[in-house]
Amino acid sequence: MHAMLQPYLQTIVLAILSVLASVATAALFQARARMLRWLESRATNEQRELLHKLAGEAFAFAETVFREVGGPKKLEAAYGYLSTRLKEQGIELGQAELRSAIEKAVLDYNALQAPLLGPSFRSQTKDIHEQS
């Protein structure tokens, strides 16, 4: 009787192993997809952080080196600095993204300085934005 049931048992065991292998494979593919999404979002966040850090550097560079020059020249200098540094890192963005990052750096700086320097500073920085 044992010999008669053996082919059936063998078929059932193989079917169960096939189902388990399929489930394990599906779980691995799903885990891989989640891992790739996590890595992609992490890289994007790191790139965004790098962009804003470099935009702050670009603003500081333009503000100190081109102190006597008007707003459009400062913006051009900051844009050149930022695009060069990002290309060195292998990141290429459009003009709109670069300009918005620089403008954010300017606004962040102005927000920090305005309470310290008072209304006259706000009118000076307003002039810079109006020129650009």
Side-chain angles (χ1 to χ4, degrees), residues 7-131:
Y8 296 114
L9 290 175
Q10 194 173 21
T11 303
I12 291 171
V13 169
L14 286 175
I16 291 172
L17 288 176
S18 295
V19 168
L20 290 176
S22 296
V23 169
T25 303
L28 285 174
F29 278 119
Q30 198 171 43
R32 179 181 175 268
R34 272 191 249 134
M35 178 65 95
L36 289 175
R37 280 194 303 270
W38 178 79
L39 286 173
E40 185 177 303
S41 71
R42 181 177 168 99
T44 302
N45 289 338
E46 287 176 359
Q47 287 176 347
R48 192 175 303 119
E49 288 175 16
L50 179 63
L51 170 65
H52 291 298
K53 177 184 171 208
L54 291 176
E57 287 180 13
F59 166 69
F61 169 76
E63 190 66 28
T64 56
V65 174
F66 297 94
R67 184 175 302 264
E68 306 300 322
V69 181
K73 293 282 186 187
K74 286 182 183 180
L75 179 61
E76 187 178 314
Y79 181 85
Y81 177 91
L82 181 58
S83 63
T84 300
R85 295 293 311 272
L86 286 174
K87 283 180 186 173
E88 289 172 356
Q89 298 294 320
I91 301 170
E92 291 194 33
L93 298 172
Q95 283 182 318
E97 289 92 354
L98 296 180
R99 180 166 178 165
S100 67
I102 293 168
E103 291 290 341
K104 182 183 181 314
V106 171
L107 292 174
D108 290 348
Y109 177 79
N110 289 344
L112 290 173
Q113 295 301 316
L116 300 174
L117 299 175
S120 64
F121 179 76
R122 283 189 286 262
S123 66
Q124 291 173 1
T125 55
K126 182 180 174 190
D127 293 341
I128 291 172
H129 277 348
E130 288 173 356
Q131 292 173 5

